[in-house]
Amino acid sequence: MVEVTVTPQSSLADRPVQIRVRGLSPSQLVTLRAWLKDEQGECFQSRAFFRADGAGEVDPELHAALGGSYSGVWPMGLLWFLQPDTLFRRLVKRDVAGSPFRVRLEVFDGLCLGADPREQPLASCEAERWYVGPGVQRVPIREGRVRGALFLPP
């Protein structure tokens, strides 16, 4: 049974996570896809092609992506190379304290180039990427023409 995991499942957006796929056939060619919808409903996604090792595992920290949104060894590549489906959109988190970005990770058999809704992933999981840690207080700043926010630790 194929399994994809993200460790830790919930983390701050600037912290690294480990992405692993297990249960593949040795040397199996797979596509790892990451995607999320921002607060306006815009979809951002990335994908990378990998060949499973002799144990039937893929670890982006150790294995080079063969192509897709990036190539080479990039442990966080699936999260760093997220691109909008609509041109000229930027991934911006407005409600930094209230909710995380929920990133969906999926594994597909072979090379998966498009987002064909009929194509079923072999496995999937979800990761939460928070922008503010627990207990952090956000204080709006308005002084003359200066606008900003002060984030105070617990």
Side-chain angles (χ1 to χ4, degrees):
M1 182 172 148
V2 178
E3 175 187 37
V4 60
T5 58
V6 177
T7 309
Q9 185 268 333
S10 183
S11 64
L12 290 173
D14 65 345
R15 300 295 163 99
V17 294
Q18 293 179 326
I19 299 168
R20 297 251 164 73
V21 181
R22 293 181 177 92
L24 301 167
S25 300
S27 300
Q28 182 177 352
L29 188 61
V30 294
T31 301
L32 266 172
R33 175 180 174 234
W35 64 274
L36 64 83
K37 287 199 177 189
D38 71 2
E39 293 156 330
Q40 281 74 43
E42 187 66 39
C43 187
F44 290 77
Q45 62 180 316
S46 65
R47 70 186 74 242
F49 313 127
F50 291 93
R51 188 167 299 283
D53 64 13
E57 297 183 359
V58 170
D59 181 351
E61 203 169 304
L62 303 173
H63 304 121
L66 306 173
S69 301
Y70 66 96
S71 61
V73 177
W74 291 83
M76 297 287 294
L78 287 166
L79 301 176
W80 289 343
F81 290 97
L82 289 166
Q83 294 293 317
D85 284 354
T86 305
L87 293 176
F88 308 113
R89 299 289 183 166
R90 288 188 353 199
L91 185 58
V92 175
K93 184 74 172 132
R94 301 234 185 265
D95 180 17
V96 294
S99 64
F101 272 140
R102 286 177 167 51
V103 182
R104 188 97 179 142
L105 291 157
E106 299 171 327
V107 181
F108 294 92
D109 187 30
L111 298 178
C112 178
L113 299 174
D116 186 353
R118 296 171 298 183
E119 188 132 17
Q120 292 298 311
L122 299 173
S124 63
C125 72
E126 191 172 86
E128 292 180 344
R129 303 292 282 171
W130 290 88
Y131 281 76
V132 175
V136 172
Q137 181 183 3
R138 181 180 190 271
V139 180
I141 304 294
R142 290 187 169 303
E143 188 66 37
R145 297 187 328 180
V146 175
R147 302 288 184 263
L150 173 63
F151 293 89
L152 297 171

